[in-house]
Amino acid sequence: MSAHAFGLLGAALSMSIAWPQVFLSCVRRRTGGLSPAACLLAVVMPVGWLTYGLLIGDRLQEVTNILNLTAGVAVLVALLATQPGLRSARTLRGAGGLAGAVLIAIVATASAAALPQVTASRAAGMLGTVLATGAFVSALPQPLALLRDRARDVSGLSPARFRLAAGASGSWLVYGLGTGQPAVWAAALVGLSSALTVCAVLTARQARAGATVMGTPQWRDSVVTRSLAVAGV
């Protein structure tokens, strides 16, 4: 299987990643467990990768990240709509500080392409370094939020989303290695690690919840036991 084929597979999976989460958050209005910082970065990072794709003429990056940007905006709006407490200025400053720093770095680096002495490929190389760093930063909030708070509500997290993210990151990893794009494979490696961590946490939570249900028979709550003396025997 060629690197280009892995790129096509990665693009197909990437375009599918966010939509289970979009359905869960926008249609079913379930957003429990979502990290505000991760949602903001899910809007910022596609902007950067879309710019990167335009600079190097990579159509896969362009199409994939237009759809990812649309999905990211939809989930962010659903999160803010269903959790009014997150709309406070203090919360938005805390969650948006990281995303804002990444966005400023992306804009500043991409703007270098307008300089006469900087070629598009060179600007793309600089932007790729920023995006690889941004991918590392954006991969941290969601798994850290789950690992810090073991009792955190995860009803708003779509397991399908993170399974698709793991598959997409694995495909982009091979594509980046095969095409000699360090920014792509480095970002994919970080994304793969993050997605696998979230999948492991969700699987462990589901297994623990299943064990709790199995260990506490529901019929005991409705059965009244009497001693033989009370029963008159």
Side-chain angles (χ1 to χ4, degrees), residues 151-195:
R152 187 184 182 95
D153 174 24
V154 295
S155 62
L157 293 178
S158 169
R161 170 195 177 184
F162 293 97
R163 294 188 190 113
L164 287 169
S169 295
S171 298
W172 283 119
L173 176 61
V174 176
Y175 175 76
L177 289 170
T179 57
Q181 297 187 53
V184 174
W185 66 255
L189 182 60
V190 173
L192 178 61
S193 302
S194 175

Side-chain angles (χ1 to χ4, degrees), residues 18-41:
W19 299 105
Q21 188 66 59
V22 170
F23 175 78
L24 190 63
S25 300
C26 299
V27 178
R28 302 188 64 184
R29 299 181 66 79
R30 289 168 57 184
T31 57
L34 285 173
S35 163
C39 289
L40 284 167
L41 285 164

